[in-house]
Amino acid sequence: MKAIRFTGLILFLFSLGLFLSSFFMSTLTLTEETFNSIVKSEHQETLKPVLSETFGNQYSTSIPFVKEINRAVEEVNAQAKTNQEWDKVIYDDYAGSLARASAEGFVPENKLLFFILIYVVGAIGSLMFILPQVKLNGPPGIKNNHIFHHALNNKGWMGILTGALLIGFYILLYFFPAYITNWIIIVDPLQKLINPSATSSQWFLYGFLYTFAVLVMGVRMLIKYRHSKYQIFRTISVMFFQLAFAFLIPEILVRLNQPYFDFKNMWPLDYDFFDAWHINTLTSSGGVGIFMFAWGITLFVVGVPLFVYFFGKRWYCSWVCGCGGLAETAGDPFRQLSDKSLKAWQIERYLVHGVLVFAVIMTIGVLYTFITGSNTIMGLDTYTYLRKPYGFAIGSIFSGVVGTGFYPLMGNRVWCRFGCPLAAYLGLVQRFKSKFRITTNGGQCISCGNCSTYCEMGIDVRWYAQRGQNIIRSSCVGCGVCSSVCPRGVLNLENRDEDGRFNQPILLGNDSFTVSK
Amino acid sequence: MQRIVIIGNGIAGITAARHIRKHSDDEITVISGETDHFFSRTALMYIYMGHMKYENTKPYEDWFWKKNRINLKRAWVEFIDFEKKQLHLQNSDHIEYDKLLLATGSKSNMFGWPGQDLKGVQGLYSYQDLELMEENTQGINNAVIIGGGLIGVEMAEMLHSRGIPVTFLIREKHFWDNMLPQEEAILIDKHLSKHGIDLRQETELEEILDDGSGKVKGIKTKSGETIDCQFVGLTVGVHPNIDLVKESKIETDRGILVDEYLQTNIPDVYAAGDCVQMKEPMPHRRAIEAVWYAGRMMGETVALTLAGKKTKYQPGIWFNSAKFFDIEYQNYGIVLPQCPEDSSAFYWESQDAEKCIKIIYKKDSLEVQGVNIFGIRNRHEVWDKWLREKRTLDYIIANLPEANFDPEFFKHWEGEIQEKFNEEFPDKKVGVRRKGLLEKILG
Ligand SMILES: Cc1cc2nc3c(=O)[nH]c(=O)nc-3n(C[C@H](O)[C@H](O)[C@H](O)COP(=O)(O)OP(=O)(O)OC[C@H]3O[C@@H](n4cnc5c(N)ncnc54)[C@H](O)[C@@H]3O)c2cc1C
Ligand code: SF4
Ligand code: SF4
């Protein structure tokens, strides 16, 4: 058993190493034909002279190549600006597409091989590492042994390294995608399998890696919590929604010439839903597009209040959502790192509701522009001052770089807790109009602290449980882990009468006096 | 404003302090020698096993005390001068009080076995014991635990989590059968062996063997067998910690004797928690109850009295809980290891011997006295209500699903339990819980 795990670990590290080193494993040569086929004709005239000396040069990695292209574009733009020839300024990002078309050598010639060695071998290795836990960890039950002794789970060197890798990856993905051409090329065979006429993009790579992580780590989750049907069903649910709804269905839609659409994503998490280009794409795509548009609106107008009333926000956050899906699978080893202090809770309330307000204002601005056709409100450009900063600060930095990159340092729900505007909205409904609560079982709490420690949302569950109070918090995503880890059976996630949530007499087991919840 | 001083920052002392603050503006000082802050003693095992850090076991953040004007003092009290109402600390400071609460907890039992002072031999009660255990178990190959109580099984789980093989010696026929009826005790026996714990029933310790350098090298049983080990855990129960007052004018027996107001024989001196022995316990309660819940309830109650609202200590229906490796245990009401003459037991056990329920009822009236539940979570509120209302066995069995507290989608066992009841009581048949649609689909 141990040998299997060890082999699995070696295989996994091999694929990870290969993935990282594949970054360097192609050369790039820009030819005139490539240039002509990719660069728009109106730009060719100005760009060609400053780039032509590089035609035929072989670059050993994407780094000097991308630098060269960017330098040329900047030069052209500087010239155009000094001449005040605004129409000649190039806004297109040619570095990525040119790098993609100019890559040659080992990786591009062996895409499939790389795909197999990295992802198939990586999956096999991971599973070999994960599956033996069924036997090694003893009978089903909570086995959090040594979590706080481990360098990965307790912010040791492994955690810091993992965080650094993730942060680096997100920065490349969002801001410097041209450099990761090789990684994008490697997933092309899969892209072609799903949709033969498409070419993989940075977003396909991201979607694939995301799904890969949710599935592989989902298996780990299923094994770890195999004594709890609640956890099993919930994990299968997020695995399914990620694979089918977030990854496959949108790709298949595109193959069928329909708009790319994730049926489970919704505004305001899906912050470009009301962007003009998005509304236009949907409304110009016939019946299917109109349905998608109506579906997207119904989901947050009717779906949220209705389902949150009956089940709490968990129906979305820990059963359906992609961000939640990643947090609950790949993020599970880090849930104990969330900050439980009162201070953190105060910051959380300002931040998450602040983002919600920002999202609403941004959307109003964008919609205003869409409806009136005017780009400015009170002299301010809605795109420059609202949509773009939102996309950058919230969409990329907060949800990606910080939200996931900081898993190993701040726990697995950094984004969901401090940044997600949809979570804030769901939470408001949950707090004020819902049947959902975590019931505390009378006086049985021994204040051990397992529940608070393993609450990924940083809720100090014990604070309530040891007083016999129910836990009704807007941020609770209903993952049920507090209930799973409680050694005394104190906590239970329930949808019951709204009346019973607050102000009930508390059972303490003590007849000397009475208190209320 | 009076000065209230509390000795002991465990659940009893701290709950008292918190509740006094709710009801009065008095000056509150809590003195304790063990740790700076209140932590959950029940979570000691989880620190060793790496489920939590010490920080995580503190139920309140460190700012809490100052905000609530509860002064914390880390010190050992050596002597109390009741005449002058003065505490003498180990560092020879003096502290004066107007009212004093003793909440000094328990100490591990030691029965004077030869070799019990060797290095590597210890009990588990305090934070210092935990640190010692960390030190004593580094790089060892075998461990022996003497005495099968709750702390014993926790210690077994702790050692097991580090891959240290455990031999568990108990004097009784089955695990904890001085507290548990035989069927439940056997169920736990089986579960322990499933986890690879080498449980030796009816085996008593004769002596602990010295390796020549003052360290333990093994133990010898009464039957003459020797077992090699480098660690011996002595978990043969605890007793009230009355060291501080044993020689004083305070009346003590096994614990500090208190009346129904938790007051000692000395004016303005009260006691709460593990260290207490009730002079006249209520009929359904014991004189010494060394459990977390009793400490909390005594703290809640004595706080009222200390804050000037004289209140009797009236614990309600007894309840308790524990966890034996993976099996959770809950108890409501009274279930004695030996069923009383006038009572009988209804017992159901699942096929895999991981779940069971035992209900004790009066033979004549079927009135239920108490319940033990293993592997199924039940609602405290519902059982408390049933026991107060003196419900009968058939009523409770019929309504059992109401008490279920397992998480959603868990398998329901009430149907099986009801069927078993109907077999045993054909003239009192109850309706059997039917499976919901979702359950049928999900299996
Ligand atoms: C490992 C373990 C697991 C347990 N698990 C459970 C469980 O699951 N469920 C349950 O109900 N109970 C459990 N218990 C029992 C429970 O922890 C105790 O009943 C409870 O902690 C007692 O609280 P207390 O406030 O009375 O005393 P304590 O928590 O013992 O606090 C007394 C404090 O007073 C200090 N003190 C004593 N004398 C002096 C002095 N002279 N000067 C200064 N300070 C002094 C001590 O150092 C100690 O810090 C467990 C106990 C242990 C050891
Ligand atoms: S309170 Fe419990 S269910 Fe809610 S998020 Fe925290 S651990 Fe999950
Ligand atoms: S895990 Fe359970 S017993 Fe421990 S503090 Fe939380 S509710 Fe209480």
Side-chain angles (χ1 to χ4, degrees), chain A residues 177-456:
Chain A
Y179 293 102
I180 54 173
T181 304
N182 285 351
W183 294 347
I184 299 173
I185 291 175
I186 291 171
V187 291
D188 198 49
L190 182 69
Q191 170 77 73
K192 293 257 165 2
L193 189 70
I194 303 172
N195 183 3
S197 59
T199 318
S200 58
S201 66
Q202 94 215 55
W203 301 121
F204 182 81
L205 168 71
Y206 183 42
F208 168 69
L209 282 177
Y210 205 102
T211 311
F212 184 84
V214 168
L215 293 182
V216 171
M217 291 300 279
V219 172
R220 173 191 167 279
M221 186 80 183
L222 287 171
I223 290 174
K224 179 166 180 198
Y225 295 95
R226 63 190 185 281
H227 62 292
S228 166
K229 281 223 172 115
Y230 183 77
Q231 300 299 349
I232 291 174
F233 290 154
R234 193 173 68 82
T235 306
I236 292 175
S237 174
V238 291
M239 289 163 79
F240 165 77
F241 277 104
Q242 177 58 33
L243 178 63
F245 279 64
F247 187 62
L248 291 178
I249 294 176
E251 291 292 336
I252 292 169
L253 283 169
V254 173
R255 182 173 180 170
L256 301 173
N257 287 321
Q258 300 297 340
Y260 182 99
F261 196 77
D262 177 350
F263 281 94
K264 65 155 183 50
N265 205 352
M266 68 170 116
W267 184 89
L269 174 59
D270 183 10
Y271 58 92
D272 52 15
F273 187 80
F274 290 107
D275 281 6
W277 67 266
H278 191 239
I279 303 183
N280 288 333
T281 317
L282 292 185
T283 48
S284 63
S285 304
V288 177
I290 303 279
F291 171 76
M292 289 169 175
F293 189 57
W295 170 266
I297 292 177
T298 315
L299 216 48
F300 77 82
V301 176
V302 183
V304 166
L306 195 70
F307 286 124
V308 176
Y309 176 71
F310 285 109
F311 307 114
K313 83 198 250 188
R314 56 185 172 149
W315 80 269
Y316 195 74
C317 295
S318 63
W319 282 75
V320 172
C321 180
C323 305
L326 190 71
E328 296 295 344
T329 51
D332 179 69
F334 307 111
R335 55 172 59 250
Q336 64 284 351
L337 302 176
S338 61
D339 189 338
K340 318 303 186 302
S341 67
L342 191 65
K343 188 114 224 128
W345 183 19
Q346 284 159 349
I347 296 173
E348 163 196 321
R349 282 184 298 188
Y350 280 111
L351 262 181
V352 78
H353 295 116
V355 173
L356 177 60
V357 171
F358 189 8
V360 170
I361 294 175
M362 182 276 285
T363 307
I364 292 174
V366 168
L367 271 176
Y368 176 83
T369 300
F370 176 73
I371 293 165
T372 65
S374 152
N375 281 337
T376 56
I377 299 181
M378 295 185 291
L380 294 179
D381 185 284
T382 54
Y383 182 78
T384 318
Y385 290 100
L386 290 172
R387 176 59 184 77
K388 206 173 145 198
Y390 188 93
F392 175 77
I394 311 297
S396 307
I397 301 278
F398 208 157
S399 81
V401 180
V402 178
T404 310
F406 279 75
Y407 270 16
L409 306 171
M410 293 171 69
N412 54 336
R413 286 274 192 176
V414 179
W415 160 248
C416 313
R417 182 182 176 196
F418 295 103
C420 178
L422 178 55
Y425 166 40
L426 290 154
L428 287 172
V429 183
Q430 168 159 294
R431 176 67 181 70
F432 295 107
K433 195 71 196 163
S434 172
K435 287 166 159 301
F436 173 73
R437 91 290 305 273
I438 301 177
T439 306
T440 288
N441 200 11
Q444 287 280 24
C445 174
I446 53 167
S447 299
C448 68
N450 276 296
C451 52
S452 297
T453 305
Y454 288 93
C455 175
E456 55 192 356

Side-chain angles (χ1 to χ4, degrees), chain A residues 438 451 454-457 459 461 471 476-482 493:
Chain A
I438 301 177
C451 52
Y454 288 93
C455 175
E456 55 192 356
M457 295 304 281
I459 298 173
V461 183
I471 296 103
C476 169
V477 292
C479 66
V481 168
C482 54
L493 283 61

Side-chain angles (χ1 to χ4, degrees), chain A residues 446 488, chain B residues 7-13 31-35 41-42 44-45 75-78 103-106 124-126 150-151 154 241 244 272-275 289-293 295 320-322:
Chain A
I446 53 167
R488 295 294 179 272
Chain B
I7 306 179
N9 68 353
I11 179 70
I31 307 175
S32 200
E34 185 181 0
T35 51
R41 192 173 301 293
T42 54
L44 279 175
M45 64 184 292
W76 293 106
V77 181
E78 279 211 315
T104 52
S106 296
L124 177 63
Y125 187 81
S126 65
L150 290 174
I151 299 178
E154 288 187 0
N241 176 7
L244 183 58
D274 275 20
C275 62
E289 292 181 343
V291 292
W292 185 262
Y293 314 109
N320 199 6
S321 65

